[in-house]
């Protein structure tokens, strides 16, 4: 195999697939990038068996066709540090040689026949989605997935695909995030699936790498497989595995009687949390909200006597109350909300709180966040 390519084109392709290459694995072949030069096109692939990504470019001059598996740990960073210009990669026996100007690298390869067969794209039931909207929905929910490996279903994001809507839900039993959007698509039938979160987190990188022409449509195509959810964006195909269920009945835990609505500025709220949380207990991470008409006082107390408080104006006319939260969970919610205004809906200090971003006109955006409170000292 021998081909010539511009450094920026090779680096762009490697950046798309590089996030999937595992650093630790019982199968050494998975630490490789698979490169195939044939029919005037360079195709690059990577997989960790749960996620696989394939991308390619025709901005390449192929002198000898071939396929090679190159360990990524040194090859990828070497390409990234090269100066702009031509890169020539050639295979000689069990080694590849990279030459770019005066820079040169020789690296051993692995047996390409040991590389696992990559999943084929099931090109049926394709659905077009607005790429930016889909990425927003992933950000709005993925922070709430569980890290508890004994509950694998909660480590994924639930997708509820309906004839006129798409809903994504994630929860770790302490918090829940739901994002719902209206869709104009031709769905073959309602379907619920739990999608591997790590796979979905590859989408922003893939979309960001699209050329101006490829990104002009603003769309990404999704394909519903039996065991995988696949996406095609320009020259790149992503396969994310589906997880075994069941997913808990999340509707049963969303309160319907939270009657205390506090409207506040998201940026002001987030900045005050950041400031006051400096003195919070490092074990409980508790921050207390004291709410009364027109104002909210935030306070935190550490185990070594440190404490802090601050207050912000809010729109609220109900009875006074106090409630405690994990400040880290609050920060996760706020940094993944795009709206500048939020509504905090409460019932009492022991019940789940709801946080809803709203538009300037007070309309809900389709995003709902649920957060369980912490018991306040003395309760």
């Amino acid at each position: 195999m021998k081909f010539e390519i511009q450094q920026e084109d090779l680096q762009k392709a490697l950046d798309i697939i590089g996030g999937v290459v595992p650093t630790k694995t019982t199968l050494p072949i998975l630490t490789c990038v698979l490169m195939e030069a044939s029919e005037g096109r360079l195709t690059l692939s990577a997989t960790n068996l749960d996620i696989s990504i394939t991308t390619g470019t025709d901005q390449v001059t192929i002198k000898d066709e071939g396929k090679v598996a190159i360990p990524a740990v040194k090859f990828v960073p070497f390409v990234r540090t090269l100066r702009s210009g031509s890169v020539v990669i050639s295979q000689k026996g069990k080694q590849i040689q990279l030459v770019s100007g005066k820079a040169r690298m020789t690296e051993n390869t692995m047996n390409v026949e040991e590389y696992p067969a990559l999943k084929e794209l099931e090109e049926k039931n394709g659905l077009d989605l607005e790429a930016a909207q889909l990425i927003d929905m992933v950000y709005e929910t993925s922070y709430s997935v569980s890290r508890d490996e004994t509950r694998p279903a909660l480590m994924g994001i639930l997708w509820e695909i309906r004839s006129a809507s798409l809903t994504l839900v994630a929860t770790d039993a302490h918090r829940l995030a739901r994002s719902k959007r209206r869709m104009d698509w031709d769905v073959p039938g309602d379907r619920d699936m739990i999608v591997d979160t790590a796979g979905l987190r590859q989408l922003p990188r893939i979309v960001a790498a699209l050329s101006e022409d490829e990104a002009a449509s603003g769309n990404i195509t999704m394909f519903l497989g039996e065991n995988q959810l696949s996406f095609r964006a320009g020259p790149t195909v992503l396969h994310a595995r589906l997880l075994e269920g069941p997913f808990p009945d999340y509707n049963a835990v969303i309160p319907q009687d939270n009657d205390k609505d506090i409207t506040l500025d998201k940026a002001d709220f987030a900045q005050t949390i950041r400031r006051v949380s400096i003195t919070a207990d490092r074990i409980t991470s508790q921050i207390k909200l004291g709410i009364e008409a027109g104002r909210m006082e935030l306070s935190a107390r550490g185990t070594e006597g440190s404490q802090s408080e601050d207050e912000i104006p809010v729109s609220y006319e109900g009875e006074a109350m106090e409630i405690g939260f994990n400040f880290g969970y609050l920060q996760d919610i706020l940094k993944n909300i795009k709206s500048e205004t939020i509504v905090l809906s409460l019932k009492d200090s022991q019940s789940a709180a709801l946080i809803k971003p709203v538009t300037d006109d007070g309309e809900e955006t389709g995003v709902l966040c649920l957060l369980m409170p912490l018991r306040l000292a003395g309760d």
Side-chain angles (χ1 to χ4, degrees):
M1 182 181 74
K2 185 175 183 180
F3 63 87
E4 182 175 358
I5 188 171
Q6 291 298 303
Q7 184 272 342
E8 52 267 35
D9 293 326
L10 180 58
Q11 180 184 332
K12 178 181 176 181
L14 289 172
D15 285 346
I16 291 173
I17 67 172
V20 174
V21 180
T23 54
K24 295 181 180 179
T25 175
T26 57
L27 295 175
I29 190 67
L30 297 182
T31 64
C32 291
V33 169
L34 187 67
M35 299 175 60
E36 181 174 9
S38 65
E39 300 179 353
R41 186 171 183 80
L42 178 67
T43 301
L44 296 89
S45 305
T47 183
N48 61 13
L49 300 184
D50 292 331
I51 313 163
S52 62
I53 301 181
T54 297
T55 192
T57 178
D58 54 11
Q59 300 298 307
V60 61
T61 301
I62 298 174
K63 300 178 181 179
D64 294 307
E65 295 187 349
K67 182 188 292 188
V68 64
I70 309 171
V73 65
K74 297 176 183 177
F75 178 73
V76 172
F78 190 84
V79 171
R80 188 175 292 129
T81 60
L82 289 173
R83 303 176 185 87
S84 296
S86 171
V87 177
V88 177
I89 294 179
S90 56
Q91 182 180 13
K92 296 181 179 179
K94 295 183 178 181
Q95 291 185 322
I96 62 106
Q97 186 177 77
L98 180 155
V99 178
S100 181
K102 298 294 184 180
R104 184 184 303 267
M105 178 189 193
T106 300
E107 180 67 291
N108 293 326
T109 64
M110 293 191 185
N111 184 359
V112 73
E113 300 301 324
E114 295 180 3
Y115 205 86
L118 297 173
K119 297 177 180 179
E120 295 293 329
L121 182 64
E122 300 176 24
E123 293 202 49
K124 60 180 180 179
N125 302 332
L127 301 171
D128 285 338
L129 300 88
E130 185 180 338
Q133 185 179 74
L134 178 58
I135 290 171
D136 283 347
M137 294 180 74
V138 172
Y139 279 133
E140 289 162 355
T141 53
S142 59
Y143 67 88
S144 284
V145 297
S146 175
R147 298 180 182 179
D148 184 358
E149 295 183 357
T150 66
R151 306 181 71 184
L154 297 188
M155 298 180 71
I157 297 177
L158 174 67
W159 286 53
E160 295 180 333
I161 299 170
R162 302 293 183 262
S163 60
S165 68
L166 171 64
T167 303
L168 272 58
V169 184
T171 182
D172 63 2
H174 300 287
R175 53 187 173 172
L176 179 148
R178 184 188 71 189
S179 180
K180 183 176 182 178
R181 299 290 195 281
R182 293 184 180 275
M183 292 291 169
D184 181 17
W185 56 14
D186 185 17
V187 177
D190 292 353
R191 185 168 175 187
D192 294 349
M193 58 180 70
I194 307 170
V195 187
D196 178 63
T197 307
L200 297 174
R201 285 176 172 149
Q202 302 299 319
L203 286 171
R205 180 187 293 110
I206 291 171
V207 171
L210 294 175
S211 67
E212 290 185 8
D213 291 341
E214 292 165 344
S217 71
N219 285 343
I220 191 169
T221 305
M222 178 174 74
F223 300 90
L224 310 179
E226 289 301 318
N227 301 304
Q228 66 188 33
L229 186 61
S230 303
F231 302 90
R232 183 170 60 201
T236 304
V237 173
L238 164 69
H239 299 296
R241 68 169 177 146
L242 303 186
L243 305 180
E244 295 290 334
F247 199 87
D249 180 8
Y250 70 89
N251 286 306
V253 302
I254 297 177
Q256 303 299 318
D257 55 354
N258 285 19
D259 56 356
K260 299 178 178 64
D261 289 344
I262 302 102
T263 303
L264 60 161
D265 180 82
K266 182 194 70 173
D268 196 11
F269 191 32
Q271 179 64 23
T272 307
I273 291 171
R274 188 178 304 115
R275 180 182 309 115
V276 172
S277 65
I278 292 171
T279 65
D281 185 282
R282 294 301 104 179
I283 296 177
T284 65
S285 298
Q286 183 181 102
I287 190 170
K288 183 172 73 173
L289 311 183
I291 304 153
E292 58 183 61
R295 62 187 287 272
M296 175 189 291
E297 182 179 88
L298 294 83
S299 60
R301 184 184 300 271
T303 55
E304 298 177 354
S306 60
Q307 62 183 57
S308 60
E309 59 273 330
D310 199 354
E311 71 171 64
I312 57 174
V314 299
S315 177
Y316 176 64
E317 300 300 330
E319 63 185 58
M321 67 171 293
E322 293 182 338
I323 190 168
F325 292 113
N326 179 306
F327 72 81
Y329 287 174
L330 275 175
Q331 289 175 324
D332 284 345
I333 292 172
L334 297 177
K335 70 184 179 184
N336 287 289
I337 286 176
K338 299 185 76 172
S339 298
E340 294 304 315
T341 304
I342 63 171
V343 175
L344 173 63
S345 296
L346 306 173
K347 178 183 178 182
D348 53 47
S349 62
Q350 287 84 41
S351 302
L354 297 179
I355 298 175
K356 303 176 184 178
V358 295
T359 65
D360 293 340
D361 297 328
E363 297 293 324
E364 295 185 9
T365 64
V367 178
L368 179 146
C369 310
L370 178 151
L371 182 57
M372 297 302 297
L374 298 177
R375 184 175 295 276
L376 293 170
D379 284 357

